[in-house]
Amino acid sequence: MMTLTQLLNKSAARLKGLHPAVLAAATALIERSYAVGVPILITQGLRTIDEQDALYALGRTRPGAIVTNARGGYSYHNYGLAADFALLLPDGSSVSWDMNRDENQNGIRDWLEVVQHAKAIGFEWGGDWNSFKDYPHLQMSFGLSLADLRTGKKPTAAAVEAVVERIKPKEEQAMRTQMKVAVQVNGRKIADGWLENGVTYVPARKIAEALGAQIAYHPAANTVDITTIPQKGAIS
């Protein structure tokens, strides 16, 4: 299994040029996703105005499919305030944009699990946009519009500090990866979990399977159901 350091190194080049607070937030997101068994790769960070214009030209004035509705200066990427991600596959080199994937088998789709961590840190998610949904996209506006940024405005110290405060539990997340515990059912190990503040966390699917129960995830209700299967001869 890839170590956290190796994983961070894979994204290092694409993290260069990001606003320091966004860089710290993206690093924290990689760490927190890794801690729950969902390794991710940052696929895009800072994008120059010229690079943005080149992307905007695809499907318009250049051959190819349309991949963005933003011209140069009209994307938070152009100001180092955005990052795109993908799920890193077990081979350590390929990535996936499959939003239904559940590699850690905890009944929660990996993509949405990453998004939950991203929002907790303070990222805005492109999947929440009403028009052009951009599911890999995460950004921090710091209360600034693109028009503000085009005039040269910068995030305020207070806005940056608010993000830093959200990232502070980073040390606790590092402890989580170190404090792994073996979870057993009837003396048989079924999974690795982690211990945090006296609470043991373990993938729900592993528990359900060990107990001979059925598990189902209902995305509309954001609910995981574990249903026990009656044993033969049992009185219900």
Side-chain angles (χ1 to χ4, degrees):
M1 179 180 177
M2 184 176 297
T3 67
L4 178 56
T5 299
Q6 291 172 325
L7 184 63
L8 288 168
N9 287 340
K10 293 186 75 68
S11 290
R14 298 176 185 86
L15 293 172
K16 291 181 179 179
L18 289 178
H19 184 284
V22 179
L23 170 60
T27 301
L29 179 61
I30 295 172
E31 293 172 346
R32 295 182 188 191
S33 298
Y34 178 85
V36 296
V38 185
I40 64 171
L41 186 70
I42 300 301
T43 59
Q44 180 73 70
L46 175 67
R47 189 185 296 144
T48 67
I49 300 294
D50 288 342
E51 289 171 337
Q52 189 69 41
D53 282 333
L55 281 179
Y56 184 77
L58 291 175
R60 295 182 174 92
T61 59
R62 292 175 55 198
I66 291 177
V67 295
T68 181
N69 285 339
R71 292 172 288 152
Y74 287 78
S75 168
Y76 284 93
H77 279 289
N78 306 150
Y79 305 95
L81 302 181
D84 295 341
F85 77 93
L87 304 175
L88 187 64
L89 295 179
D91 63 13
S93 58
S94 305
V95 296
S96 171
W97 287 269
D98 182 0
M99 294 182 64
N100 292 315
R101 187 178 181 84
D102 182 17
E103 181 66 22
N104 63 355
Q105 296 186 334
N106 66 349
I108 304 174
R109 288 177 287 175
D110 294 345
W111 197 277
L112 296 184
E113 202 163 359
V114 175
V115 169
Q116 288 171 2
H117 285 293
K119 289 183 176 181
I121 292 171
F123 278 110
E124 304 161 30
W125 181 42
D128 288 331
W129 296 346
N130 292 325
S131 53
F132 182 82
K133 292 187 178 295
D134 191 351
Y135 296 105
H137 181 86
L138 301 169
Q139 68 182 38
M140 287 189 173
S141 66
F142 297 100
L144 297 173
S145 68
L146 287 165
D148 291 330
L149 294 170
R150 287 195 297 274
T151 64
K153 288 186 178 180
K154 306 291 185 182
T156 65
V160 171
E161 181 60 27
V163 172
V164 173
E165 286 297 318
R166 287 174 177 261
I167 301 172
K168 277 186 176 178
K170 177 179 178 181
E171 291 79 10
E172 297 175 11
Q173 298 298 328
M175 286 182 60
R176 176 184 295 178
T177 64
Q178 298 167 6
M179 298 178 63
K180 288 185 178 179
V181 295
V183 179
Q184 299 180 341
V185 172
N186 296 327
R188 180 174 63 88
K189 179 180 176 180
I190 60 166
D192 284 320
W194 68 86
L195 185 65
E196 181 180 4
N197 296 327
V199 179
T200 302
Y201 297 85
V202 67
R205 185 177 299 278
K206 295 291 187 181
I207 291 288
E209 291 175 349
L211 296 175
Q214 296 177 336
I215 186 170
Y217 172 59
H218 304 290
N222 197 25
T223 300
V224 175
D225 281 340
I226 296 179
T227 306
T228 57
I229 302 173
Q231 300 296 316
K232 290 184 178 179
I235 300 176
S236 59

